[in-house]
Amino acid sequence: MKKLLIPLAVALLLVLAVPAAFAETEWELGVGLTPGWIGGNTDPNADPLLNFHVGYSWNIVYLSWDAYAMPDYWTYANTTYVDPGTGYEVFGYLVPSFLNLFDVGIKIVLKPFIGYAEVGPNFLYLRGGQSYGKVGVNIRLGAGVKFGWWGINLSGTQVFASWNDMRGAFHEAGNGDWSYITQGMAPTLNFTLYF
Amino acid sequence: MKTRKLLPLIILTVAAVLALSSCDAILDAIFASNQITVDVAVFGTLQQPSNPGSYVSVVLSNTSGYVASENGYSRSSIDGFGYVHFYVTFPKLEDDTYFLSVLYHGYLGGIWASPFGSTYFYDPDGYLTNNCTMPFPSSYDSTGRSATFNVEIY
């Protein structure tokens, strides 16, 4: 707990002290497109994946919810696992799904440029009304431009199976190896409306 | 003035509620097409896994005739029952009734054997049939949009 005090204090000071020129208080609505191969499709002509975005920024604090529409083969690959108790493969769900990312982080605005960094948990909604119990986590970095009420930005999202996996990736980054964070990062082109 | 400031928030809330209540409809709209995967299980002694020549050809048709065909070269290693599996996938299919015709082209002992196969297959729930109507709900996929049918060649 003591280890968190200093970073939390720094974060609080930043939130209170950052000049208005670097921050915005606003709502966001948007859509994004991610290359189809991210879903596991080897077809070079695969359709891009669509995601829906809702965000809110208060000063530099940034909250967002992104729902990525994932194809059935991605859902199947990510819900199939080997039962550690029996050693047998447990087959997953071959249905489309929404990968929901609930993130919190910071967003800096230096007009017309914006940049953000977030982290948060993932939840999977399966077509048919089920939610998948195993929750992963993700980090997201993004940068782009904003012109008043609309903007475009490019983000990179890295999904981890657990908080431990993410901690491990940051540990390796601290040792100079950023590949655990950047390799396999899903790029998304986002189109956003600001209110 | 307050109403103007609240309006975007109201719109966002309504949009979020609508989106949450229609998740399945949204997913169906995005991934509207059906997909048939054919798992052709060939008894291991009919071919040698080390020889890449053997393959399966699968023809998909409906009541109007030919729809598509694919050759399956990908294979698994011999499973616990002595079969080698070849996979063929037909994506982006419309809602319709389909028929499958599978031929196995075996290369064994340096020569090509005469192709042979089947027009009957097992549906995802294990029932033998010769046609499938997509979407095909099963215990594996309640939406029926993606179905795997199994053919055994021995």
Side-chain angles (χ1 to χ4, degrees), chain A residues 59-93:
Chain A
N59 206 326
I60 65 166
V61 175
Y62 186 39
L63 306 170
S64 70
W65 167 30
D66 288 80
Y68 285 79
M70 304 306 291
D72 53 8
Y73 45 83
W74 181 93
T75 310
Y76 181 78
N78 285 275
T79 54
T80 296
Y81 65 97
V82 175
D83 187 328
T86 63
Y88 289 122
E89 190 171 31
V90 178
F91 295 110
Y93 301 90

Side-chain angles (χ1 to χ4, degrees), chain A residues 91, chain B residues 36-42 58 79 83-88 100 102 118-132 136 138 140 147-154:
Chain A
F91 295 110
Chain B
I36 288 177
T37 299
V38 184
D39 176 359
V40 185
V42 179
V58 182
D79 66 17
Y83 287 88
V84 172
H85 295 258
F86 294 78
Y87 303 96
V88 168
L100 288 171
V102 175
S118 176
T119 57
Y120 279 81
F121 47 91
Y122 293 93
D123 70 23
D125 290 317
Y127 296 101
L128 191 64
T129 182
N130 73 336
N131 68 85
C132 56
F136 193 99
S138 69
Y140 291 92
T148 299
F149 299 96
N150 300 280
V151 179
E152 288 183 4
I153 296 191
Y154 48 86

